[in-house]
Each structure stands twice: as C-alpha cells, then as structure tokens.
Amino acid sequence: MSESGKPILYSYFRSSCSWRVRIALALKSIDYETVPINLIKDGGQQFSKEFQALNPMKQLAIIEYLEETRPTPRLLPQDPKKRVLVRMISDLIAGGIQPLQNLSILKQVGQENQLAWAQKAINSGFSALEQILQSTAGKYCVGDEVSMADLCLVPQVANAERYKVDLTPYPTISRINKALLALEAFQVSHPCRQPDTPPELRA
Amino acid sequence: MSESGKPILYSYFRSSCSWRVRIALALKSIDYETVPINLIKDGGQQFSKEFQALNPMKQLAIIEYLEETRPTPRLLPQDPKKRVLVRMISDLIAGGIQPLQNLSILKQVGQENQLAWAQKAINSGFSALEQILQSTAGKYCVGDEVSMADLCLVPQVANAERYKVDLTPYPTISRINKALLALEAFQVSHPCRQPDTPPELRA
C-alpha cells in the first residue's frame, strides 16, 4: 500500500508480467500507484536488496489474488471446465513461453543467438497455442468473455512482434489479439503509455 | 477417462510436471490409470500427433481443476493471503525454474553446457525461494498444511539433485523436502515407483 492507501504496482513498462497485472487492474477498475523497476538500468533494479525484500516472484499469483478479493468483473469463468482451459492457456504462455524468452535468459544465450532463441521459443509455444485456441476461442481466448488467458496473450504477442516473429501461421492468435487491443483496459495498460515509458517509445 | 471410467494420466516417470499431478491425485485419493509418454524415446512421444491432440500443456491447471472438483483435502489454503503465497511459490518453481531446465531447453543449450545451465537456473530460483520460505514456512512451504507449493517443491529438489546442485545454502528447502518425502502421497508418486520406471531406476 502507498501512503495514499492505494495498492502499489512495481512495474516495468515493457515487462509482459507487469502488463498482465496492469490489464487486470484496469478491468477491475482498481486505482493504483506505479513504482517503476527498470529491468535493465543499474544491471537490473529488480536485483536490488530493497526489491528482493518485496518478494518479486508473483506473476499469475497476483491475478488469482485480485480475482479472489475483487471478483467483479470475473477473469476466470464460473464453469470449472472452462476455468481449466483458461488456466491451461495462461500456464502455456506465462510458464511455457515467456520464461524462455525473458531478459535474463536472453542475456545467458548471448547476443548473436538471442533473436533465433526467442523466435524458436515463441514459435514452438504459438504452434501449440494456435491449435488449442481453435477449439476454445470465441471472440476471445475462451468463449466470448475476457479472461486471465487474454491478459497473458496480448503481452506475449507484443513480445513476438518485438522479436520479429512472423504471425501469419497464427490467424486465431492474431484475430483475438486485435479484438483485445480494441478494449480500453488493454490500451491504458499498454507499454507505450506507462509512467516509465521512455519518450521515444510513447504513443 | 479410460474404459473403466477412471481418469487417465499421461505421465513420464521422471517428469516433474507429471510427478506434481501424481502427488495431488494421491493426496486426494483419486484412482487413475497411467498412460506412459516417454519424453525421450522416438524423439519424444509427446510430439506425436495423437498426444498433441490431447492438449499437452497443463501443469498447474490440472491441480487447480482437481482442487475445484475434488476439494478435500484442500491443496490451497482457505485464507486468500495464504493462497497468494502458495500460488506465488508454485509459480516461482513451475514457471520460474522448471521451464529453464527441462529437457527441450537443455537440448537447445547443447550437451557440454547443460549441467552449468541447469545449475544456474536452479540456484538462482532456489536463492529466491529459500528467502521466501524463511518467512512463509511452518512444517511445509506455507504453514503446517501440505499445499500446491509442496507438490511443486519436491519434484524440483529431485531435479536439483539430479543436476548435482549443492543444497547446503538452502536449509529451509532441504528441511521441507525431507518432511514431505516422509508422506505416503509423495512416496507412491515417486519417479522410482511408476509403471514406466526402467528396472535399473526402481526402488
């Protein structure tokens, strides 16, 4: 909590983990304060003692917590069978794709291999995802209601574009991504509109 | 479902994702049939058309589904603040450590770098985890009740041992792991006791 009583989000404008949570906060109309954590500056501010003490590893757990404490609008469907689909898709993205192409891994892989590595991780995950979505999607990832899966999808597609992945083989992913980006919650939370977005990347 | 009406688990004896689910099934006394999927043989049976069609990417979603449809005994605490801790720890292991040291990534990294890569991924995650557990643990990862976090911990410690990670810096992780391995659900689900465990690895 901040001094004003608002929840604080430790956020990096370009991080897909931060973006997911920003979308959830926007959908649930939760007012919050941003404390920027620059994942690149000073060798990565997330490695500072102050931040480590805050327990950095959260990701989907924050969204599940928001869902339990602020259930409206719901980000998990009421039906357990649909809920397992939403969590499966969220896991596939947040546990199966994103960790393989995040900054710390790409640093380990070495500069000349980064692009190919990231593309391979994303293409391999998107092939599975495209197939799954063909059976689960309506307007969005699972049926016609925005869910946690959609919060994971949009930031991951942005990463794919950043790493120049050809999205032609993924028509369902592309269609859903476009529909979601038309929604206000996905726009106000966008990396190009954050307090810590550098001027040259603003839109 | 199998012909006998039991749920089917597509499982590989050594996979930490499979083991997590086996522990949940054992704790909830759910009888099931195992269909072995050998992640190495035939270039990886999980890549077969038949298996792909079953939607392979599940992991924690299966456990959340079991929790919702078979709530006793609970694997998520009743209190939302404790639940977020359980999910945070589960995410840290299942999304932050395991994907970086699984078979397909190690194949990409190349044989001579595999051990160092896996050790780095595990040490980096375990350092964060040890710190978190020091404030959340009782007998187990969060307080004194077995939770989803514990289902993630034990298979990950087994992976650490397999990759010869020195566990001396992680006394809390080691203590909890030992306490959990004394429980029947963690023993019957153990990789050394599965239908597809090769004879030389049985115990």
Side-chain angles (χ1 to χ4, degrees):
Chain A
M1 289 283 172
S2 71
E3 281 177 32
S4 63
K6 290 182 197 167
I8 295 176
L9 181 67
Y10 296 87
S11 175
Y12 179 53
F13 74 104
R14 191 138 67 177
S15 150
S16 44
C17 298
S18 303
W19 190 5
R20 279 178 216 146
V21 178
R22 293 196 304 257
I23 302 168
L25 290 163
L27 283 168
K28 289 178 181 291
S29 307
I30 299 174
D31 198 16
Y32 65 98
E33 279 183 23
T34 300
V35 173
I37 298 285
N38 192 311
L39 300 187
I40 296 173
K41 221 172 104 182
D42 311 331
Q45 296 177 340
Q46 73 276 28
F47 299 118
S48 71
K49 276 252 160 86
E50 297 89 317
F51 187 66
Q52 288 286 325
L54 293 165
N55 289 348
M57 293 290 186
K58 284 167 189 179
Q59 313 186 7
L60 294 183
I62 296 185
I63 297 169
E64 295 266 4
Y65 178 75
L66 290 174
E67 183 69 5
E68 288 169 351
T69 52
R70 292 280 289 254
T72 316
R74 56 166 64 250
L75 300 177
L76 288 169
Q78 204 141 15
D79 171 24
K81 291 205 174 149
K82 279 200 179 166
R83 232 172 9 241
V84 78
L85 295 176
V86 167
R87 289 205 173 99
M88 186 178 79
I89 294 167
S90 305
D91 269 5
L92 164 53
I93 300 171
I97 307 178
Q98 195 278 337
L100 304 180
Q101 50 96 79
N102 74 9
L103 280 177
S104 64
I105 293 305
L106 293 182
K107 217 180 278 177
Q108 260 178 270
V109 167
Q111 192 131 32
E112 79 261 30
N113 303 320
Q114 283 184 1
L115 197 67
W117 176 282
Q119 288 177 343
K120 188 177 162 152
I122 296 169
N123 275 315
S124 152
F126 273 17
S127 302
L129 182 60
E130 176 70 21
Q131 194 190 336
I132 291 170
L133 290 176
Q134 282 174 13
S135 68
T136 63
K139 201 165 164 190
Y140 306 122
C141 284
V142 178
D144 294 328
E145 277 172 38
V146 174
S147 72
M148 182 163 75
D150 300 301
L151 276 53
C152 295
L153 184 77
V154 168
Q156 186 57 58
V157 173
N159 280 342
E161 288 168 344
R162 198 168 148 211
Y163 295 119
K164 304 183 199 319
V165 172
D166 173 17
L167 294 173
T168 329
Y170 316 117
T172 317
I173 293 175
S174 303
R175 169 180 68 72
I176 298 171
N177 181 61
K178 205 178 150 194
L180 289 163
L181 281 173
L183 304 178
E184 200 196 344
F186 289 77
Q187 291 172 2
V188 296
S189 59
H190 196 281
C192 71
R193 268 177 223 106
Q194 297 312 302
D196 57 331
T197 309
E200 68 275 17
L201 295 176
R202 289 195 165 272
Chain B
M1 289 285 171
S2 70
E3 280 178 32
S4 63
K6 291 183 197 167
I8 295 176
L9 180 68
Y10 295 87
S11 175
Y12 180 52
F13 74 104
R14 191 138 68 178
S15 150
S16 43
C17 299
S18 303
W19 191 4
R20 278 178 216 145
V21 177
R22 292 196 304 257
I23 301 169
L25 290 164
L27 283 168
K28 289 179 181 290
S29 307
I30 299 174
D31 198 16
Y32 65 97
E33 278 184 22
T34 300
V35 174
I37 299 285
N38 193 313
L39 302 186
I40 296 174
K41 221 173 102 182
D42 312 330
Q45 296 177 341
Q46 73 275 30
F47 300 117
S48 72
K49 276 253 159 85
E50 296 87 319
F51 187 65
Q52 290 285 327
L54 293 165
N55 288 349
M57 294 288 186
K58 286 167 187 179
Q59 314 184 6
L60 295 183
I62 295 184
I63 298 169
E64 296 267 3
Y65 178 75
L66 290 174
E67 182 69 5
E68 288 168 351
T69 53
R70 291 283 286 256
T72 314
R74 57 166 62 251
L75 299 177
L76 289 168
Q78 204 142 14
D79 171 26
K81 289 204 174 147
K82 279 201 179 164
R83 236 176 1 244
V84 78
L85 294 176
V86 167
R87 289 205 173 100
M88 185 178 81
I89 294 167
S90 306
D91 268 5
L92 164 51
I93 300 172
I97 306 178
Q98 196 277 338
L100 304 180
Q101 49 97 81
N102 73 9
L103 278 177
S104 65
I105 293 305
L106 293 182
K107 217 181 278 177
Q108 260 179 273
V109 166
Q111 193 130 32
E112 78 262 30
N113 304 318
Q114 282 184 2
L115 196 67
W117 175 282
Q119 289 177 342
K120 189 176 162 156
I122 296 169
N123 275 314
S124 153
F126 273 16
S127 302
L129 182 60
E130 176 69 22
Q131 194 190 334
I132 291 170
L133 290 177
Q134 282 174 13
S135 68
T136 63
K139 201 166 163 187
Y140 307 122
C141 283
V142 177
D144 295 327
E145 276 171 38
V146 173
S147 72
M148 181 164 73
D150 299 301
L151 275 55
C152 296
L153 184 77
V154 168
Q156 186 57 59
V157 173
N159 281 341
E161 287 167 345
R162 199 169 146 207
Y163 295 120
K164 303 181 202 319
V165 172
D166 173 17
L167 294 173
T168 330
Y170 315 117
T172 317
I173 293 175
S174 302
R175 169 181 68 73
I176 299 170
N177 181 61
K178 205 179 149 192
L180 289 162
L181 281 173
L183 305 177
E184 199 197 343
F186 290 76
Q187 290 172 2
V188 297
S189 59
H190 196 283
C192 71
R193 268 178 223 105
Q194 297 312 305
D196 57 333
T197 309
E200 68 275 18
L201 296 175
R202 288 194 165 272

